[in-house]
Amino acid sequence: MNFHLSSSFCLGSFQLVAWLYQATSWEPVDPTKGFVSLPFNGSYYEIQKPWDVPENQRYRFRAGVHKLWVFATDKPRTPAIPTKPRTEIAIHGYNYSSGVWQFEGDAYVPYGTSGVCIMQVFGATPPHASTFMLRVYNGTLTYYSSYALVPNVYDKWFRVNVVHDVDASKVKVYIDGCLKLEAQGRGGTLHAFKCGVYAQEHDSYYMESRWKNIKILKKCGS
């Protein structure tokens, strides 16, 4: 099993690597067991895209597949907030502040897309803006830029399940049913799931991801 540990990640390195190893499973499971799938359609999300272009120039929904793309030279989401370019499905219909919530979706990243967040749990304690980011660097899925989770994901569909236990401040990430990471949360009082493309450091000129079978789930009794 391989992990890439960033020198910028300042927690106890050896202890944390061992913890991640123990949290990783090779056998697929059903992460949605014990969760209830909630209604999900266009009324539960909005498309966040560069402010100066029409939505249909950065987003398309056809045959059940959301296609989102952005260029490194694009404008931010709003002129007032100078963030990097993005085109994301922002699921604001299920903002949450407590309980155990889960995002599920099938993702596809075409060859060449790099330096980009394809899914995030928005909301954290400042100075952080997000509790979790799933990124792609040169075909490898990573947790932020610190840990390699899955290599060689270009040009294939893979299932993503992200479980956020707000009260316990824990995030679990499953890829194709296999647990790949359990990480600490980052606080915050309001959270939301987002997926698509959001440029990060060393971004490629063109970035794209596709999503289908998106579900939002809540743990029974939470």
Side-chain angles (χ1 to χ4, degrees):
M1 185 171 303
N2 296 317
F3 293 98
H4 171 67
L5 182 63
S6 168
S7 60
S8 64
F9 204 87
C10 60
L11 294 178
S13 301
F14 296 107
Q15 180 180 1
L16 186 55
V17 170
W19 173 43
L20 291 178
Y21 179 89
Q22 292 169 2
T24 303
S25 66
W26 294 110
E27 294 297 324
V29 298
D30 180 7
T32 67
K33 187 176 182 179
F35 285 76
V36 174
S37 182
L38 303 174
F40 184 75
N41 54 50
S43 66
Y44 289 92
Y45 64 85
E46 66 171 345
I47 304 302
Q48 296 182 344
K49 45 83 180 173
W51 65 264
D52 63 336
V53 296
E55 182 177 294
N56 63 10
Q57 291 186 15
R58 295 294 183 270
Y59 167 79
R60 185 181 73 196
F61 182 61
R62 183 178 299 170
V65 176
H66 304 266
K67 178 181 176 180
L68 307 101
W69 65 99
V70 76
F71 296 91
T73 53
D74 275 341
K75 297 289 195 300
R77 181 171 65 90
T78 170
I81 305 176
T83 56
K84 298 198 77 171
R86 76 179 80 198
T87 306
E88 291 183 298
I89 298 171
I91 303 171
H92 291 317
Y94 290 114
N95 292 341
Y96 61 94
S97 57
S98 63
V100 185
W101 292 77
Q102 182 171 175
F103 170 94
E104 179 180 83
D106 295 326
Y108 181 99
V109 181
Y111 179 84
T113 290
S114 187
V116 64
C117 170
I118 64 167
M119 187 271 163
Q120 64 170 304
V121 178
F122 183 76
T125 299
H128 303 295
S130 64
T131 285
F132 167 80
M133 275 193 175
L134 187 65
R135 299 184 186 179
V136 175
Y137 290 98
N138 299 317
T140 296
L141 277 181
T142 67
Y143 167 70
Y144 288 97
S145 58
S146 299
Y147 299 100
L149 303 179
V150 182
N152 305 318
V153 298
Y154 281 149
D155 299 331
K156 64 182 74 172
W157 287 99
F158 53 93
R159 175 68 55 87
V160 175
N161 291 82
V162 176
V163 180
H164 184 199
D165 186 334
V166 182
D167 303 322
S169 193
K170 299 287 185 184
V171 179
K172 291 183 179 180
V173 184
Y174 298 81
I175 304 298
D176 291 328
C178 293
L179 180 62
K180 295 297 180 181
L181 175 77
E182 181 175 349
Q184 292 285 347
R186 288 182 163 189
T189 58
L190 188 64
H191 300 280
F193 296 120
K194 302 173 77 173
C195 62
V197 278
Y198 178 22
Q200 303 298 310
E201 69 273 11
H202 310 299
D203 47 326
S204 54
Y205 175 68
Y206 177 78
M207 292 157 274
E208 177 191 324
S209 75
R210 305 171 199 171
W211 291 87
K212 64 181 180 179
N213 301 321
I214 296 174
K215 295 180 182 179
I216 305 301
L217 307 100
K218 192 173 189 293
K219 192 167 187 178
C220 300
S222 69

